[in-house]
């Protein structure tokens, strides 16, 4: 277990003004990956890992101190989670075998994932919920709440789609869970964890980094919380999109986040450099700005490619690819580091 740790890769950089909160669960069943638990479940509140379960430990565990408070209201909480997740584990190990058959696969590395949850806006209380399944890094089947149907982008999922579309009870239960039960729990968790979840940490520095022999200058901020930050490049005071690559928001080990946004400078003449600056915004606080100036650029790519590099170097080959996909599937908000 100890060689595994979980990394969050947060999705959707949304408006920094209204405050959204989310509760999401991600289940991952895998086959053919050595030393990797067959089944892993994580729970995330606002992108913070709050619950962990895997097929080796077979016990649901709190990952934040404040999550221990749930037993004050519900003493059976962790036992109940443990029992439920054992059922899920059995069904997911079966699902991966079914998926392999449908794709005519016998061996190799395979990953079956389920991600569901809900999100609301502090102000409007508008609730959004989702549930979708992925197989080997691709969408497999997803709930469309509006039409109350399942959508299956691959034909291997059509049997499942037909079965689930005709299962009115399953639909009603799923809908109830993600639109009622999930937001209720999210409110409870936000209350338990308010001191830690509702804090704001501001990055103390923006840095400009450039990899050797690269035409991209990366603007990098680290140490901020919550994760819903906005970062962009502007020219003459206007936000620009061309020649800009937004990176993902990644977690640091201390519960804060980092992010970066790259600017391709190959077609910018050196006289024009001073027109460019990078801006970081976090929940209505004063913007952090850094101008594009040669003397501010550090040519140090350490921090930056760390995440992907580690995966490729230590796992390599097919497993590297699978794990890499695992991270990227719909920016699921979470992935493994070996
Ligand atoms: C799987 O194999 C069967 C029998 O050989 C074939 O009819 C089917 O088209 C194959 N399916 C896929 C997804 O390759
Ligand atoms: C930067 O822009 C140049 C010219 O448009 C292009 O050839 C190059 O591939 C770009 N670099 C990256 C890393 O996108």
């Amino acid at each position: 277990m100890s060689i595994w740790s979980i990394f969050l890769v947060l999705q959707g950089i949304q408006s920094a003004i209204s405050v959204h909160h989310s509760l999401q669960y991600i289940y991952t069943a895998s086959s053919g990956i050595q030393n990797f638990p067959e089944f892993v479940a994580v729970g995330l509140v606002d992108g913070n890992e709050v619950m962990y379960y895997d097929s080796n430990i077979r016990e649901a565990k709190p990952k934040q101190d404040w999550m221990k408070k749930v037993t004050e209201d519900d003493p059976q909480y962790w036992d109940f989670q443990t029992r439920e997740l054992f059922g899920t584990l059995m069904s997911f190990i079966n699902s991966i075998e079914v998926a392999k058959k449908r794709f005519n696969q016998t061996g190799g590395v395979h990953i079956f994932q389920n991600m569901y949850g809900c999100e609301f806006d502090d102000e409007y209380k508008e609730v959004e919920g989702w549930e979708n399944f992925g197989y080997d890094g691709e969408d497999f089947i997803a709930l469309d709440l509006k039409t109350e149907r399942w959508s299956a982008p691959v034909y291997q999922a059509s049997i499942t789609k037909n079965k689930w579309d005709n299962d009115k009870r399953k639909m009603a239960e799923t809908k109830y869970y993600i639109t009622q039960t999930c937001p209720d729990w999210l409110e409870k968790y936000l209350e338990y964890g308010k001191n830690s979840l509702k804090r704001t940490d501001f990055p103390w520095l923006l840095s400009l980094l450039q990899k050797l022999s690269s035409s991209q200058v990366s603007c990098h901020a680290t140490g901020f919380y919550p994760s819903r930050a906005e970062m962009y490049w502007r020219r003459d005071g206007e936000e620009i999109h061309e020649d800009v690559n937004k990176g993902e928001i990644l977690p640091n080990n201390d519960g804060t986040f980092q992010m970066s946004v790259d600017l391709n400078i190959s077609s910018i003449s050196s006289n024009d450099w001073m027109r460019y600056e990078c801006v970081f915004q976090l929940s209505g606080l004063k913007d952090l700005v850094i101008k594009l100036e040669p003397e501010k650029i550090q040519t140090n790519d350490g921090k930056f490619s760390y995440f992907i590099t580690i995966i490729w170097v230590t796992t390599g080959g097919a497993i590297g690819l699978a794990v890499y996909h695992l991270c990227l599937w719909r920016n699921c908000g979470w992935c493994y580091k070996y």
Side-chain angles (χ1 to χ4, degrees):
M1 235 327 283
S2 61
I3 55 165
W4 292 99
S5 61
I6 286 173
F7 258 60
L8 302 161
V9 180
L10 286 181
Q11 59 191 351
I13 303 150
Q14 306 199 359
S15 152
I17 296 155
S18 70
V19 182
H20 292 254
H21 294 289
S22 63
L23 170 60
Q24 167 151 284
Y25 286 92
I26 300 165
Y27 300 156
T28 302
S30 61
S31 71
I33 313 182
Q34 259 189 337
N35 299 329
F36 190 103
E38 270 181 303
F39 177 78
V40 177
V42 291
L44 309 168
V45 171
D46 290 357
N48 300 279
E49 193 190 339
V50 299
M51 187 283 298
Y52 180 87
Y53 175 97
D54 76 32
S55 49
N56 296 340
I57 59 172
R58 298 202 176 183
E59 191 187 339
K61 292 189 163 166
K63 294 294 280 188
Q64 304 280 338
D65 270 343
W66 55 262
M67 269 300 273
K68 294 176 186 157
K69 291 188 201 162
V70 295
T71 50
E72 287 169 12
D73 288 343
D74 182 358
Q76 303 300 312
Y77 182 90
W78 296 105
D79 293 340
F80 180 76
Q81 296 290 322
T82 297
R83 272 201 311 278
E84 289 278 297
L85 284 164
F86 182 71
T88 313
L89 163 121
M90 297 314 245
S91 107
F92 271 56
I93 286 173
N94 179 52
S95 299
I96 205 164
E97 290 309 314
V98 170
K100 274 160 74 177
K101 276 199 197 99
R102 292 206 196 147
F103 284 87
N104 281 354
Q105 294 158 334
T106 45
V109 169
H110 299 288
I111 289 162
F112 184 71
Q113 280 182 299
N114 173 213
M115 170 167 105
Y116 65 89
C118 60
E119 178 175 80
F120 60 66
D121 190 300
D122 244 1
E123 232 170 306
Y124 305 106
K125 296 279 174 215
E126 224 167 80
V127 175
E128 269 186 69
W130 58 88
E131 167 141 39
N132 32 51
F133 293 80
Y135 182 64
D136 285 355
E138 304 286 340
D139 291 349
F140 187 72
I141 191 165
L143 174 65
D144 181 345
L145 253 189
K146 286 205 184 73
T147 59
E148 301 198 2
R149 310 282 286 183
W150 292 88
S151 63
V154 288
Y155 85 91
Q156 285 89 349
S158 52
I159 303 173
T160 313
K161 173 182 159 53
N162 291 337
K163 202 165 106 191
W164 289 1
D165 274 347
N166 290 314
D167 190 341
K168 297 286 176 257
R169 197 175 136 197
K170 179 183 171 66
M171 178 57 71
E173 282 174 0
T174 305
K175 191 172 174 181
Y176 188 80
Y177 178 84
I178 63 180
T179 59
Q180 306 282 329
T181 315
C182 177
D184 285 352
W185 275 109
L186 175 54
E187 273 195 80
K188 276 192 206 176
Y189 296 146
L190 291 171
E191 180 57 29
Y192 295 136
K194 63 183 171 204
N195 293 339
S196 128
L197 293 169
K198 297 197 173 164
R199 76 184 198 274
T200 306
D201 291 339
F202 206 61
W204 53 278
L205 193 64
L206 282 189
S207 349
L208 296 180
L209 307 167
Q210 191 174 29
K211 292 182 199 181
L212 291 172
S213 75
S214 153
S215 55
Q216 307 242 91
V217 171
S218 197
C219 179
H220 186 253
T222 187
F224 60 87
Y225 184 93
S227 60
R228 288 187 193 272
E230 189 58 81
M231 196 179 199
Y232 57 90
W233 281 93
R234 63 188 182 201
R235 183 179 52 224
D236 303 333
E238 300 264 356
E239 179 171 354
I240 53 169
H241 300 283
E242 72 194 75
D243 296 327
V244 172
N245 282 313
K246 244 182 195 170
E248 286 155 314
I249 296 183
L250 300 167
N252 292 319
N253 288 331
D254 62 0
T256 64
F257 294 88
Q258 57 170 299
M259 78 186 293
S260 60
V261 54
D262 297 345
L263 175 69
N264 185 342
I265 54 166
S266 58
S267 50
I268 301 173
S269 79
S270 49
N271 292 338
D272 281 343
W273 272 40
M274 57 192 207
R275 297 167 63 191
Y276 290 80
E277 57 195 8
C278 168
V279 184
F280 175 88
Q281 294 176 322
L282 186 72
S283 331
L285 297 175
K286 195 171 177 303
D287 296 353
L288 216 51
V289 178
I290 188 170
K291 279 196 182 307
L292 180 60
E293 286 168 3
E295 58 273 22
K296 285 188 185 153
I297 299 176
Q298 304 164 34
T299 45
N300 163 8
D301 60 335
K303 267 183 185 163
F304 222 44
S305 48
Y306 175 76
F307 180 67
I308 300 300
T309 316
I310 294 284
I311 286 170
W312 279 97
V313 170
T314 57
T315 65
I319 295 175
L321 190 63
V323 174
Y324 186 48
H325 275 164
L326 175 67
C327 300
L328 293 190
W329 177 59
R330 289 190 69 129
N331 288 328
C332 75
W334 158 93
C335 57
Y336 286 104
K337 179 183 160 230
Y338 187 58

